[in-house]
Amino acid sequence: MAEGKLYCEHCGEDIHIVPDFEPELEQTIQDILEELHGDMEDEAEEEPKGFEELEDFEEPEDGGDWQEEPVRRKRIWPKVLLALVFLLFLAAGGAAWHIYSSYSEEYQLNRAEQYLELGKYDEAIICYNRAVELDSANVELLFELADIYLLKNNKVEYEYLLREIINNKNATAEQLEGAYGKLISIYREREDYQTINALLLASGNENLIAAYPNYIVDVPEFSINEGYYTSIQPLKLTASGSGRIYYTVDGSEPTEESTQYTAPIILENGNHIVKACFVNDNGIVSDVVTKEYHIEYNEIFAPEISALSGEYSVPMMIEVLDGDEDVYYTMDGSDPTYSSAVYTGPIPMPLGKSTFKFARIVDGVTGTVAQRDYQLILNTELTPAQAVTSVVEYCYIIGKITDFDGHFDDSGDSYQYLYLYAANINKVSDFYVIAECYRTADGNVTRTGNNFAVNVYSGERFKLQRDDWGRLELVGLEISEQ
């Protein structure tokens, strides 16, 4: 058999190691055999009593038997029998030694240690394999055998034995932790993080998984269950840990070349097959999650707006005519979202150019957007800034403020006046609406609730307030300042 073989290449049976006889035992057997052989030769040469020549001896004619020959044979046979008994004893001892050495774990481990000291790893492996056969429940033997393979730089067998340990029912929690730790070190050195992830998830050991969080990736979670819906559905994908989610909506398998998830996926009318996976910062890819959706919904129509796009020379109020529920709007040209302004009532048209966008947002779904572009130019030379200055002058004249910066004492607090919008009030005329604000010395600004209106054509100043029925009322100020 070739050195290092554990199984016969012809019949497949185990190869048992037959230990050599000890040199002292072999020498003892050899000495006994030589002594016995010498005694037999001496006896053969010795003449029987009463005869001069052994070869001249003749048997008596009367048929009588001579007694000398049997006597001589009787002297030889005790020694032969003694020798045979001794040889049988030695054979039995050898057989016992063979049985002990073949079935003794202690003997196999001692021999393995001797081989290791001599650097004979293959022979040590044979002894360890035999020890494992004799004591299959001893997991430490597998660790020691694995270490020998590592000394031989045979990482394939090393890895195989560690996997044997994690699948061994006799392994303790400490032994399992050690085996997993060694395996993870192997794959980490190879940068094979995907195998580490699979190994940990397959273990089902929560403590072990918690010890290596950087190698665990969970599948993405879908915000809505798959199924049939009668409205547009915003599908949100989330995953624990740091990384990226990739998805497809055409049924193909997602990869890092697919669309990266950054915002809710809007599922509109039709059938959708959404597949997603998560890739953490170590490049470990999760399993793919697949969900199917069928959407049938009625379209969310754009709000109906009172003022059409165009140029205007008089102030206009912009209104939603078909209900203000769930309506959001913007004035900078961007599409409305939940963070945009909520429509609660008529909006004054700004001076100059402006772009309004209105849309209903229902259950996270944005309907059709209504856009309006306006340009408001009033037929007057009075500007909003001049109207603000006129109000400041009025407050200074009546002594409400002591300077044109709005201060009224040494505290540093002041009154500030802010242009809001132009509007037609009570169909009387067009006015610039000015709001009064209170500004503290540290910069906090709040509205006082006092508003002023300045006629855009005549410059006449009014206090703007509401009557007992909530209607706007213009209170003249020119006489008061006299």
Side-chain angles (χ1 to χ4, degrees):
M1 296 299 176
E3 183 176 2
K5 293 289 185 179
L6 300 179
Y7 302 96
C8 175
E9 61 185 5
H10 299 292
C11 66
E13 291 295 325
D14 292 348
I15 299 173
H16 296 286
I17 304 171
V18 180
D20 297 332
F21 282 111
E22 297 295 334
E24 295 82 358
L25 183 60
E26 291 190 31
Q27 186 61 47
T28 300
I29 295 174
Q30 184 66 28
D31 292 343
I32 292 173
L33 292 175
E34 290 180 356
E35 181 180 354
L36 181 59
H37 183 264
D39 289 343
M40 292 179 69
E41 287 183 346
D42 290 342
E43 292 292 343
E45 292 176 358
E46 183 179 339
E47 290 183 354
K49 275 187 179 181
F51 298 93
E52 296 179 359
E53 296 286 343
L54 182 60
E55 55 270 9
D56 294 336
F57 174 75
E58 292 183 1
E59 185 178 349
E61 293 181 357
D62 59 1
D65 292 330
W66 292 96
Q67 298 300 316
E68 286 81 355
E69 183 66 19
V71 170
R72 183 180 62 174
R73 290 176 181 174
K74 289 179 182 180
R75 290 200 305 268
I76 296 173
W77 277 109
K79 290 185 178 182
V80 173
L81 291 175
L82 180 62
L84 289 175
V85 170
F86 187 75
L87 288 175
L88 288 174
F89 175 77
L90 290 179
W97 175 256
H98 170 67
I99 293 172
Y100 166 75
S101 61
S102 296
Y103 293 91
S104 169
E105 177 184 348
E106 180 183 3
Y107 173 82
Q108 297 294 339
L109 294 178
N110 289 336
R111 290 294 297 271
E113 184 177 352
Q114 295 171 6
Y115 285 133
L116 287 174
E117 291 177 356
L118 297 174
K120 296 182 177 182
Y121 300 129
D122 290 333
E123 290 81 352
I125 288 172
I126 293 174
C127 292
Y128 260 104
N129 275 314
R130 180 57 184 160
V132 169
E133 289 180 5
L134 296 172
D135 189 3
S136 58
N138 191 340
V139 178
E140 287 301 322
L141 294 179
L142 296 177
F143 274 109
E144 295 170 9
L145 180 56
D147 289 339
I148 299 175
Y149 277 112
L150 187 60
L151 289 174
K152 286 190 61 181
N153 199 33
N154 187 339
K155 295 183 179 180
V156 173
E157 289 294 334
Y158 177 67
E159 178 184 344
Y160 171 79
L161 283 169
L162 292 175
R163 283 190 171 270
E164 285 282 303
I165 293 172
I166 65 175
N167 293 319
N168 194 308
K169 296 181 179 180
N170 298 311
T172 64
E174 183 178 358
Q175 290 170 332
L176 288 174
E177 181 179 345
Y180 275 107
K182 292 175 183 287
L183 281 170
I184 290 172
S185 296
I186 293 173
Y187 302 131
R188 184 164 48 204
E189 184 179 350
R190 300 177 191 166
E191 297 184 355
D192 185 2
Y193 306 121
Q194 192 71 40
T195 299
I196 297 177
N197 173 71
L199 185 72
L200 292 173
L201 291 179
S203 73
N205 188 321
E206 294 297 331
N207 294 330
L208 189 65
I209 291 174
Y212 298 95
N214 293 335
Y215 302 110
I216 295 297
V217 290
D218 294 322
V219 297
E221 295 184 2
F222 286 51
S223 62
I224 56 177
N225 295 325
E226 60 183 344
Y228 177 87
Y229 293 88
T230 57
S231 62
I232 293 176
Q233 297 296 314
L235 172 62
K236 297 179 181 180
L237 304 179
T238 57
S240 60
S242 178
R244 301 163 302 283
I245 297 175
Y246 296 93
Y247 72 94
T248 63
V249 294
D250 58 359
S252 61
E253 292 298 308
T255 67
E256 293 184 67
E257 303 299 322
S258 304
T259 303
Q260 182 177 343
Y261 176 83
T262 56
I265 305 167
I266 305 302
L267 302 178
E268 299 182 339
N269 269 339
N271 296 314
H272 306 272
I273 299 177
V274 182
K275 293 188 175 185
C277 66
F278 176 66
V279 182
N280 76 354
D281 289 340
N282 283 327
I284 303 174
V285 182
S286 75
D287 292 335
V288 174
V289 180
T290 303
K291 291 188 181 295
E292 298 185 18
Y293 302 92
H294 178 75
I295 310 296
E296 287 186 11
Y297 73 98
N298 295 323
E299 184 178 357
I300 302 176
F301 294 101
E304 185 178 348
I305 309 302
S306 61
L308 301 177
S309 296
E311 296 181 359
Y312 291 82
S313 59
V314 294
M316 298 292 295
M317 299 301 287
I318 305 168
E319 297 182 64
V320 176
L321 301 177
D322 57 346
D324 57 8
E325 186 178 0
D326 299 321
V327 175
Y328 296 79
Y329 71 94
T330 62
M331 299 172 59
D332 59 1
S334 62
D335 289 335
T337 65
Y338 274 130
S339 60
S340 303
V342 179
Y343 178 83
T344 57
I347 305 167
M349 184 181 293
L351 288 172
K353 291 183 177 180
S354 60
T355 298
F356 281 77
K357 286 188 175 183
F358 295 84
R360 285 188 170 84
I361 303 178
V362 181
D363 295 331
V365 179
T366 303
T368 304
V369 176
Q371 179 174 328
R372 297 292 184 269
D373 299 309
Y374 304 112
Q375 184 172 9
L376 174 60
I377 301 175
L378 299 179
N379 187 20
T380 180
E381 293 182 356
L382 184 67
T383 65
Q386 291 171 332
V388 170
T389 300
S390 176
V391 172
V392 172
E393 289 176 349
Y394 165 74
C395 292
Y396 176 77
I397 291 172
I398 66 173
K400 186 171 186 175
I401 58 177
T402 59
D403 59 33
F404 288 98
D405 289 329
H407 296 102
F408 53 87
D409 57 20
D410 296 333
S411 65
D413 295 353
S414 62
Y415 287 107
Q416 304 291 312
Y417 297 90
L418 177 67
Y419 165 74
L420 296 179
Y421 53 84
N424 184 281
I425 299 176
N426 296 338
K427 298 183 181 180
V428 173
S429 185
D430 301 328
F431 295 86
Y432 292 127
V433 178
I434 311 298
E436 182 183 72
C437 301
Y438 188 88
R439 187 180 188 276
T440 61
D442 58 5
N444 291 324
V445 179
T446 57
R447 296 270 292 269
T448 64
N450 294 327
N451 293 315
F452 298 88
V454 179
N455 191 299
V456 299
Y457 306 111
S458 66
E460 188 178 2
R461 294 169 291 202
F462 297 87
K463 186 172 183 180
L464 186 62
Q465 60 188 29
R466 293 187 180 275
D467 60 20
D468 293 338
W469 293 273
R471 295 173 299 188
L472 287 174
E473 183 180 21
L474 293 167
V475 179
L477 300 175
E478 298 298 332
I479 296 176
S480 299
E481 65 177 315
Q482 294 291 326

